[in-house]
Amino acid sequence: MIKSMTGYGKAEFETGNKKITLELKSLNSKQLDINSRIPALYREKDIVIRKVLSEKLVRGKMDFSLYIENLGIQSNSVINENIVTDYFNQLSRVQTNLGLPINEEIMQSILRLPDAVKTVYEELDEKEWHTIYNNFLKVVEAVDQFRVQEGIALEKDIRNNIAEIEQLLTQVEPFEKQRIENVKNKIQDSLKEFDLNGNMDKNRFEQELIYYMEKLDINEEKVRLSNHCTYFMETLESDNSVGKKLGFIAQEIGREINTLGSKANESNIQRIVVQMKDALERIKEQMLNVL
């Protein structure tokens, strides 16, 4: 069974006075590419997150986000009373000296001054992180299951295209006899152009014909193509990540199809080869998203 590299998972939950949202998206990529967006408080856990993604999901372009909403009545920002009082006293003296009225607007100005408001940074709560981590594992599992379902659809299409190539290969044989006759007639016509006045060694002609037929023989290509298709189908059954391996086998299938086309010398076989190439291109497009 193969897996897609496309997946999505999300979890929302509350712990303490916080609402936490975890979101993970996965797309196809040649290697593992992780982009994480998490609050500074949890930055030290970034390595743990990346390690799990690497082990569980193996490959793909992944975007992981951790959002926190504070549900409590207390804010992390605190007014620095001593600093604000000092600012107020200084500004009040200045305004009195200038004969300006002291009103509520002075406080708006003070709160914008440096150090008037300070932020109290939290320390990481291991119990809270344990809750987040368990939900993170559930999100990763959801992405993996999404990949499995996508993989089922991908595998069905890939199998159909491989089966089409194998079926087209069986259509080549009926045209092989005509192909041999075409090559034989082509050689005879070429010889007639030289006007040998009948002085042609028939034995030598047969030897030359055998030489060219061996050179243009496509039996080996047919056997190798059939074997590659069988091996491709067997590899699909693996439980491991086989996307790259299947890509290599698809390249070998392409080589045999190309060689078959270059040796064909028969229009019907060449049309079959074009159909094979079309099926193989569809497989290659699908392989881009196979884990």
Side-chain angles (χ1 to χ4, degrees), residues 252-265:
E252 294 302 317
I253 290 174
R255 286 195 185 95
E256 300 307 331
I257 291 174
N258 287 334
T259 306
L260 196 64
S262 64
K263 287 185 174 183
N265 284 298

Side-chain angles (χ1 to χ4, degrees), residues 50-111:
R50 291 175 179 272
K51 185 172 184 293
V52 171
L53 293 176
S54 175
E55 291 175 351
K56 300 288 187 181
L57 302 181
V58 184
R59 192 159 61 98
K61 178 176 174 57
M62 300 174 203
D63 289 313
F64 173 70
S65 301
L66 191 163
Y67 304 104
I68 296 179
E69 181 183 348
N70 195 335
L71 302 176
I73 59 174
Q74 288 187 326
S75 171
N76 289 337
S77 297
V78 180
I79 294 176
N80 194 330
E81 294 183 24
N82 293 330
I83 297 292
V84 170
T85 300
D86 186 54
Y87 279 146
F88 180 80
N89 291 334
Q90 292 182 56
L91 287 172
S92 295
R93 285 196 301 270
V94 171
Q95 288 188 297
T96 299
N97 292 335
L98 296 175
L100 298 173
I102 299 174
N103 52 42
E104 67 275 3
E105 292 183 2
I106 191 173
M107 290 303 299
Q108 296 177 12
S109 301
I110 289 171
L111 291 175

Side-chain angles (χ1 to χ4, degrees), residues 175-185 209 213:
F175 299 109
E176 289 198 66
K177 185 175 180 181
Q178 182 59 46
R179 171 176 170 269
I180 294 171
E181 287 299 319
N182 289 346
V183 173
K184 185 176 179 180
N185 292 334
L209 184 61
M213 292 313 302

Side-chain angles (χ1 to χ4, degrees), residues 21 30 35 41 53 64 70 85 88 116 131 164 173 189 202 214 216 231-232 247 255 257 259 284:
T21 303
K30 290 183 178 180
N35 178 35
L41 179 62
L53 293 176
F64 173 70
N70 195 335
T85 300
F88 180 80
T131 303
E164 182 178 344
E173 188 172 350
D189 291 341
K202 290 187 177 181
E214 287 178 350
L216 297 174
Y231 186 39
F232 191 100
R255 286 195 185 95
I257 291 174
T259 306
K284 287 180 178 180

Side-chain angles (χ1 to χ4, degrees), residues 189-200:
D189 291 341
S190 297
L191 290 172
K192 287 178 182 178
E193 289 181 8
F194 288 104
D195 191 19
L196 298 177
N197 297 320
N199 297 322
M200 181 177 68

